[in-house]
Amino acid sequence: GHRVPLVMRYDGVFPRGERRHDHFVGLNDIYATLAEIVGVTVPDTSAQDSVSFAKYIQSEDNVQDLRQNIGTWAYTRGAVKGEAIRKGDFKLVRNIITGQDELYD
C-alpha cells in the first residue's frame, strides 16, 4: 500500500512528539535520509532513486526537496502483475493482466 506508517527516533536530533504525514516518502528514501543525517555523501551512481527527507524530519515546513509522487509494483514470481502511482490525493492502479486502470480520489 501507499500509506504504511514509518516511525523514526533519534534522540537529540529528531523533534520529539511530532508527526509528519502530509508528504510521500518511500522505503528507498531511507538510504539518502540516513546518509544525510550522519554526514555521508552518496555517490551520484548510488541510490539514484533515493530522496532524503532529513530536512522534513527537522521541520514540516522543509518540503521543497520531497517527492511529488510515489509508485509501487506488485510482483508474482518475478513478473509484474500490477502497478500504482500516487500523487496528491489521487491513486492510479493498473492491473497488468487485465489491462484495467482504476483512478481513486
Side-chain angles (χ1 to χ4, degrees):
H2 286 107
R3 293 187 182 261
V4 178
L6 169 66
V7 177
M8 297 183 78
R9 177 180 168 177
Y10 189 9
D11 293 341
V13 178
F14 296 167
R16 192 172 180 179
E18 294 185 16
R19 299 171 81 176
R20 308 279 188 267
H21 53 81
D22 293 332
H23 294 278
F24 296 117
V25 297
L27 181 60
N28 52 323
D29 297 333
I30 292 173
Y31 181 88
T33 302
L34 293 178
E36 181 176 341
I37 289 168
V38 299
V40 173
T41 302
V42 177
D44 291 338
T45 57
S46 181
Q48 296 174 7
D49 61 346
S50 188
V51 177
S52 175
F53 57 93
K55 291 180 182 79
Y56 183 58
I57 293 171
Q58 294 298 316
S59 170
E60 63 185 337
D61 296 330
N62 292 331
V63 298
Q64 63 275 7
D65 296 325
L66 296 178
R67 16 177 108 252
Q68 299 299 308
N69 55 57
I70 193 162
T72 58
W73 296 264
Y75 292 90
T76 300
R77 295 189 180 129
V80 177
K81 301 296 182 182
E83 56 191 358
I85 189 164
R86 285 221 32 190
K87 183 168 183 165
D89 291 333
F90 292 100
K91 179 178 180 180
L92 178 63
V93 179
R94 172 170 291 150
N95 183 318
I96 302 296
I97 297 169
T98 66
Q100 182 179 1
D101 294 334
E102 299 173 4
L103 181 63
Y104 297 92
D105 180 6

